[in-house]
Amino acid sequence: MYQSFYTGALGAGTCMAKMGVLSNNLANINNHGFKPKTAAFTDLLQFNLNDSEDATTELQAGNGVRMQRTYTSFETSALTATNSELDYAILDNNQFFMVQNPATREITYTRTGRFHRAQMEDGFYLATDSNKLVLDQNGQPIRLRELEEGEDEENPNQDINLPEDETQRVSLYTFTHPSRLLSVGDNEFAPPEDMAPILVENPRLTTGAVESSGTDLAKEMVRIIECQRAYAYALRMVTTSDEIESTINSLRG
């Protein structure tokens, strides 16, 4: 009887954890470049009833499930036009921009291509909304040319956003196992130590647009309804177990 209490309570807690993942997906539905996460569950220990541990029978009971991990799908989402020549959208799956924190030199990867012209101590660089430097095919920050007298940064007819070094270009990187990337916040990801980035030789990019959020409102709402029902069933299991336990105790006198 105590096992049913445990299994029901564990199921309710797992549903709450999944609801947190779904809520985060919905909260970022308007966040450019966001990739929704999916909760992955695993069965806990199962055992045979009235037989040995190694036997294969239909009389099996389990200890419930737990949320093992969350994984992210890096598929291309719909594009949103911005008409800014500094905005980039990736047209292929599982590819990323390499960006670097200028203070800590930490390198992360993102699919969010909303960039701007950032002024640093030694000049202008291509940077993200969080002022992280966009790196080129050699892993170096892309430095933009200086403004000359009479040039206006807001004038779209001037090529002021060209790299100072003509050999530099906005580059993309991929990984052998993108599902192993670790989320570090701000739509950025970091690889584990044993996984190195691979330069994409012929990246497919478009300018003047950014990738929209990958959250599908209809799918997320369906998953929320499923999660709510599973949560209600798990609580019902706890309630039923409590009622049975109360009945047994009353019969014992």
Side-chain angles (χ1 to χ4, degrees):
M1 192 58 61
Y2 294 109
Q3 184 65 40
S4 61
F5 276 112
Y6 172 78
T7 303
L10 186 63
T14 302
C15 290
M16 293 179 63
K18 181 178 180 180
M19 188 66 75
V21 175
L22 298 175
S23 300
N24 182 68
N25 291 343
L26 288 176
N28 288 278
I29 195 170
N30 293 319
N31 190 350
H32 293 299
F34 175 79
K35 296 302 173 185
K37 295 178 174 55
T38 303
F41 297 90
T42 183
D43 290 334
L44 296 179
L45 181 66
Q46 292 187 344
F47 58 92
N48 288 289
L49 300 175
N50 303 323
D51 210 325
S52 64
E53 294 182 359
D54 299 331
T56 302
T57 69
E58 295 182 357
L59 298 175
Q60 290 189 338
N63 293 332
V65 298
R66 68 180 178 90
M67 190 171 76
Q68 183 179 21
R69 61 186 293 266
T70 59
Y71 66 89
T72 307
S73 175
F74 298 105
E75 296 182 354
T76 303
S77 303
L79 305 185
T80 301
T82 63
N83 298 321
S84 172
E85 62 178 355
L86 289 180
D87 288 339
Y88 291 82
I90 302 175
L91 301 181
D92 291 315
N93 302 335
N94 301 323
Q95 296 182 6
F96 308 85
F97 300 104
M98 179 188 287
V99 298
Q100 183 182 55
N101 188 322
T104 63
R105 302 297 180 183
E106 179 184 10
I107 292 178
T108 53
Y109 299 84
T110 182
R111 285 185 65 92
T112 306
R114 197 172 187 88
F115 303 144
H116 69 280
R117 182 183 178 90
Q119 184 173 9
M120 302 294 177
E121 294 181 356
D122 58 342
F124 293 90
Y125 290 87
L126 188 64
T128 66
D129 284 341
S130 56
N131 283 328
K132 291 187 176 181
L133 302 177
V134 181
L135 305 186
D136 65 1
Q137 71 276 14
N138 298 315
Q140 298 298 318
I142 298 178
R143 182 168 178 171
L144 305 178
R145 73 179 184 84
E146 300 284 347
L147 291 175
E148 298 179 0
E149 184 178 357
E151 288 185 323
D152 183 3
E153 186 174 346
E154 301 299 328
N155 189 343
N157 296 321
Q158 298 173 157
D159 296 329
I160 62 171
N161 296 314
L162 294 176
E164 187 177 70
D165 185 349
E166 295 181 357
T167 64
Q168 286 189 309
R169 67 175 188 271
V170 177
S171 300
L172 298 180
Y173 293 81
T174 188
F175 296 89
T176 53
H177 301 289
S179 61
R180 295 181 58 200
L181 292 175
L182 305 176
S183 177
V184 295
D186 292 333
N187 292 340
E188 296 177 10
F189 300 85
E193 294 182 357
D194 61 342
M195 191 166 63
I198 302 172
L199 177 66
V200 178
E201 294 297 334
N202 298 303
R204 293 204 306 145
L205 288 166
T206 183
T207 59
V210 292
E211 191 175 11
S212 302
S213 172
T215 300
D216 187 321
L217 180 59
K219 289 183 179 179
E220 298 301 321
M221 292 304 298
V222 169
R223 290 171 181 169
I224 286 178
I225 293 174
E226 292 175 345
C227 191
Q228 288 176 331
R229 291 182 177 178
Y231 180 78
Y233 294 150
L235 291 184
R236 182 58 182 168
M237 182 177 181
V238 174
T239 303
T240 302
S241 299
D242 180 63
E243 292 174 352
I244 295 174
E245 187 72 20
S246 299
T247 302
I248 293 174
N249 291 334
S250 64
L251 292 175
R252 288 176 179 173

